[in-house]
Structure formats: structure tokens, C-alpha cells
Amino acid sequence: MTPWVHVDTGLVPGEKTTLRLMRQGDAFAITVGNQDLMRDRHCESERALATLVAARLQDRPKARVLIGGLGMGFTLRAALDAFGPEAEIVVAELVPAVVAWARGPLAHLFASSLDDPRLALHEADVNRLIQSGPAMFDAILLDVDNGPEGMVRGENNRLYDAWGLKRAHYALRPGGVLGVWSGRPDRKFKARLARSGFSVEEVRVRSRASGDGPRNVLWIATRTGPPVSPPARPASEAMP
């Protein structure tokens, strides 16, 4: 068997955690420690995250979409295809090396997507963009960890706790959709979404286009209810 070869390492800002880009022949993977974060041969559920959300927003030709995590570009490319010519796609990627890989060794996976005029790519924490104001987005797609807990860094837990989900609710326009990718089910997270003002659908999608591979979980959560005030900022995150 062809061995995996280390191509490059990327440091997660503010953390000791590193991401590693690995290659085996013409296959690529991004790993965290000894765990796979993503592989280019297991990408069907990442595409489905965008297409399933877009299907629920067909009446919004000028949808503004926030994607948390650039990864290998599968969710981005699917979003550009699914949301149409007048949409705006905002991508937040925290790790500068991931952006560099997208224009370097992984450029073939991205094709021309990074040059699409509908794309605004930010090297930033997606949580900061979610907190940028009320009713900013029609959709928020999160694929930054392997599930609803901070794998890449501990601060990502804030995306999935009750406060973070209420912030996402506040950042979405009425009827907007939050999509979250996970490698496994999580009943507590699904219930937390429902308590945070979302109507939740759980979808399981095979990781390979051929229909095999592990079943990944997508939560497609539609914002319900009237506009809410922004949730109080936790004391631990209060400004000095």
C-alpha cells in the first residue's frame, strides 16, 4: 500500500494544535493529531450540507450565506452551484495554512471557486462573523469540527452550546437555516437546537458519492419564532 506522506503543517491561531496536510498517491487528508478531520475521497456529506440548505431557501435568489470552515472546498463549491448567480457566499477560515493549501496543493479540488465574484473569504473565526449583527445571513453552514464540540480548538465549543446557538438564531434572517455537519449523532445537541428556537431535521448521508462509507449526520435547523434580542454575553467573555 502506498504510504501517507506529510505535505505541510498549519498552526491553529492561539492554540498549540496543528493541522497536517497528508497525501497518499493522489488522495489527500487533513488531520488533527491522530484523527482525520477530512478526506477528499469522503466528501459527499459536505456537499449535501450546502445543497440541502439551499433547497430550503429557493425563494431567496439573493441569499447571503456564511460557511464556517474552508476545508477542501466541497461545501463552498456546492454552495456556489446551489445558491445561484445573485447569492453572496461568505467563508470564514481560521487557519491561514488551509487557505494557502487551497491555492497550492489542493487547488485542483477548488477549481475556480476561490475566484468566483460571489465569494468573500475571510481568515477569521466564524464565531466573530456570527456575532457581527442581527439578521445578517439567510444561512449559516458549520463544518469546522468533526461534530458539535470543539475538536480543532476548545473555543469552538461556543458555537454549539446554548449561547452560541442563540447567537446563530439572532444572526439569521426570519426563516433562515443553520446547517451543522457531524461525523456522528448527538441527541443532546439536536435537543439543544430545538430549545434554541429552531425546527430541526436530522439527515444521514453516506460520505462517498458511490453510496458507501460511513453515515455522517447533518442537522438542518430552520429559524422559527419572532426576532429575539441578542443573548447576554457570558461573563467569561465580557469585554475588559
Side-chain angles (χ1 to χ4, degrees), residues 2-3 20 40 49 63 70 77 95 104 144 146 148 176 178-179 187 214:
T2 304
R20 302 179 77 204
D40 63 345
L49 179 63
L70 179 62
R77 290 184 65 179
V95 182
V144 295
N146 270 3
L178 170 66
R187 288 183 294 176

Side-chain angles (χ1 to χ4, degrees), residues 56-67:
R56 288 154 177 79
L57 296 171
Q58 291 181 354
D59 60 341
R60 305 189 191 197
K62 297 183 179 181
R64 189 165 191 253
V65 181
L66 173 62
I67 299 176

Side-chain angles (χ1 to χ4, degrees), residues 37-124:
L37 190 60
M38 64 197 74
R39 291 192 180 198
D40 63 345
R41 298 296 193 266
H42 296 261
C43 57
E44 193 62 21
S45 57
E46 284 86 349
R47 293 189 179 108
L49 179 63
T51 57
L52 289 174
V53 170
R56 288 154 177 79
L57 296 171
Q58 291 181 354
D59 60 341
R60 305 189 191 197
K62 297 183 179 181
R64 189 165 191 253
V65 181
L66 173 62
I67 299 176
L70 179 62
M72 292 182 168
F74 297 112
T75 301
L76 168 61
R77 290 184 65 179
L80 289 169
D81 288 341
F83 278 98
E86 296 183 279
E88 179 185 359
I89 311 296
V90 181
V91 175
E93 174 53 57
L94 180 67
V95 182
V98 173
V99 178
W101 298 339
R103 295 196 180 276
L106 300 182
H108 62 290
L109 299 178
F110 285 83
S112 61
S113 61
L114 295 180
D115 299 316
D116 193 298
R118 294 170 293 167
L119 171 65
L121 176 58
H122 299 264
E123 289 188 16

Side-chain angles (χ1 to χ4, degrees), residues 187-207:
R187 288 183 294 176
K188 290 183 178 180
F189 179 69
K190 183 179 179 181
R192 196 180 308 136
L193 279 166
R195 291 195 301 270
S196 300
F198 292 97
S199 173
V200 186
E201 180 182 359
E202 182 176 289
V203 182
R204 303 196 183 192
V205 180
R206 291 284 190 184
S207 63

